[in-house]
Amino acid sequence: MRTLLLLMLVTIPAEAQWWKVQTSGLDTNLRGVSLAYAPDARGVPAPVVWASGSNGVILKSLDEGTTWKRLHVAGGDALDFRGIVAFNSSIAYAMSSGEGEKSRIYKTTDGGETWTLQYTDKRKEFFLDSIACLSETHCFALGDPIDGKFLLLNTMDGRLWNPLSSINMPAALLSEGAFAASNTCLALSGADIFFGTGGPAARVFHSSDSGRTWSVAETPSPTARPPLESSPSLSRTKKPSLLPGAIIWIPRGASGVAAYSLDEGKTWQLSTQQPGGYRSAVAHIDDGRWVAAGPNGEDLSGDFGAHWKHTDSLNLNAAALLDIWTAWAVGPNGTIARFVNHYGYEIHYRKPLGHQQPPAAIAH
């Protein structure tokens, strides 16, 4: 029997703020954030928040952002941790960005008490931009072009990383690169891999077979002021016969910056109503609803990215959503903000784990 999606909407005040700052003032530019569930003291699934940034900073909260613990990577105090992927309160990968050996992949299995260096490269051209995982042991990391092709690393056992063959990958354009703005230029869904690039053109690479073959599409985004920073995000609904999947693409620019695709990246359309400026991160709320965040504010879209509405004016770099009520974003000066969902609806075919009702306010 086909399951239906039922929505009950309420009026949202025009002045409603969707992001509430929980903490700031730390000497770091946070660009990585990852959320996961872990059992609390009562055994009830509760969100765990991990964040990462410059000056070797990695943070973790077990109480929904009320308090934060600083975690230390041995020998990593000068690293810029642009990406983090967590699976619970114990297991996480952290990726640093920079030339050569400044780009590294670490893993912890004890909640950040110790970290194991899993991959780095001495070549000056080696520069990691993003890390994403399908499971605790199956992950990918994207790097800038080496020898004319983008570098894609892969681990199948959660320990050993190896470059994927780039024989069937289209060549990179001169000065084309991926960007480590918010750990969102690489997106995974099953066997599908997407990554976005910028420079002489804003392009999206796609493999539907885990990297064995590739196609590339040029988006209609403007490229007059390179370098571009790309933040594509991939979403697929569980019932594509009812609702299409969407990919949202937001490279750098003051206008005409957002584009969307409803056919797995084959064709692209510029958003009719654009965000209010450059947005370094975009994340999926549910169905056709998306949120974008950047240096001069945040926006929402309720129609798969066709129209965006300005909501907040925080300086944020990256955002991650765990479910429709549970999301965090991070930015410069150690800023960490929590998402406040003002959509008043119930979703009848799924329940957010550990959340029966949306929080009325954030308790501190």
Side-chain angles (χ1 to χ4, degrees):
M1 182 177 66
R2 178 173 290 180
T3 305
L4 296 179
L5 173 68
L6 303 178
L7 302 181
M8 295 189 295
L9 302 178
V10 297
T11 301
I12 301 172
E15 68 278 6
Q17 290 184 316
W18 292 71
W19 295 95
K20 183 174 181 179
V21 174
Q22 291 186 307
T23 185
S24 64
L26 189 63
D27 184 19
T28 182
N29 188 7
L30 297 175
R31 290 188 179 273
V33 59
S34 184
L35 314 178
Y37 283 117
D40 62 14
R42 299 170 297 168
V44 178
V48 179
V49 189
W50 298 68
S52 65
S54 60
N55 299 325
V57 171
I58 298 178
L59 304 171
K60 183 176 70 171
S61 176
L62 300 177
D63 53 13
E64 303 191 33
T66 301
T67 60
W68 296 85
K69 181 179 181 180
R70 172 85 182 262
L71 306 172
H72 294 274
V73 176
D77 289 345
L79 296 177
D80 191 353
F81 287 108
R82 297 289 185 97
I84 192 158
V85 180
F87 296 91
N88 47 49
S89 60
S90 299
I91 299 174
Y93 294 88
M95 181 207 74
S96 63
S97 298
E99 290 185 356
E101 291 182 283
K102 293 180 181 179
S103 281
R104 305 177 187 178
I105 297 173
Y106 288 89
K107 184 179 182 180
T108 181
T109 58
D110 57 9
E113 296 300 318
T114 60
W115 295 83
T116 300
L117 176 62
Q118 293 193 325
Y119 197 90
T120 189
D121 192 315
K122 294 182 179 180
R123 289 176 294 177
K124 184 178 180 180
E125 299 83 6
F126 181 64
F127 192 106
L128 291 178
D129 299 294
S130 189
I131 184 171
C133 296
L134 292 168
S135 70
E136 294 181 12
T137 57
H138 191 187
C139 302
F140 295 84
L142 175 68
D144 279 348
I146 295 180
D147 297 328
K149 298 285 186 76
F150 281 94
L151 173 68
L152 200 62
L153 301 174
N154 176 41
T155 179
M156 297 291 291
D157 61 6
R159 295 185 302 108
L160 302 176
W161 292 77
N162 293 290
L164 287 182
S165 172
S166 60
I167 293 177
N168 295 318
M169 181 184 291
L173 303 176
L174 184 64
S175 300
E176 185 177 20
F179 292 86
S182 59
N183 198 43
T184 52
C185 64
L186 173 65
L188 309 176
S189 178
D192 286 292
I193 306 172
F194 292 83
F195 66 85
T197 70
R203 302 201 295 172
V204 175
F205 287 70
H206 175 218
S207 172
S208 60
D209 52 14
S210 300
R212 286 184 287 274
T213 60
W214 291 88
S215 62
V216 63
E218 187 166 332
T219 74
S221 301
T223 58
R225 289 184 288 177
L228 299 174
E229 291 199 2
S230 54
S231 299
S233 185
L234 169 67
S235 172
R236 285 187 174 185
T237 60
K238 294 182 179 180
K239 302 187 183 308
S241 60
L242 298 178
L243 293 169
I247 311 168
I248 309 296
W249 163 260
I250 305 184
R252 173 179 286 174
S255 62
V257 297
Y260 63 96
S261 172
L262 299 178
D263 58 6
E264 297 188 338
K266 296 181 180 67
T267 60
W268 293 85
Q269 300 179 61
L270 281 176
S271 300
T272 302
Q273 184 174 340
Q274 289 287 328
Y278 164 54
R279 299 294 180 252
S280 59
V282 59
H284 183 224
I285 302 174
D286 74 326
D287 307 317
R289 296 181 178 87
W290 297 74
V291 61
N296 73 336
E298 289 67 48
D299 302 87
L300 286 172
S301 174
D303 56 6
F304 298 96
H307 299 82
W308 293 89
K309 180 180 180 181
H310 182 72
T311 61
D312 299 77
S313 298
L314 298 176
N315 183 354
L316 299 172
N317 293 321
L321 282 83
L322 190 58
D323 59 45
I324 61 174
W325 309 116
T326 312
W328 274 265
V330 298
N333 302 313
T335 299
I336 301 176
R338 183 168 185 177
F339 184 62
V340 181
N341 193 333
H342 293 285
Y343 286 120
Y345 55 74
E346 295 180 11
I347 296 185
H348 291 272
Y349 71 78
R350 69 172 183 256
K351 296 179 181 179
L353 291 173
H355 290 76
Q356 298 303 318
Q357 296 294 333
I362 298 175
H364 295 277

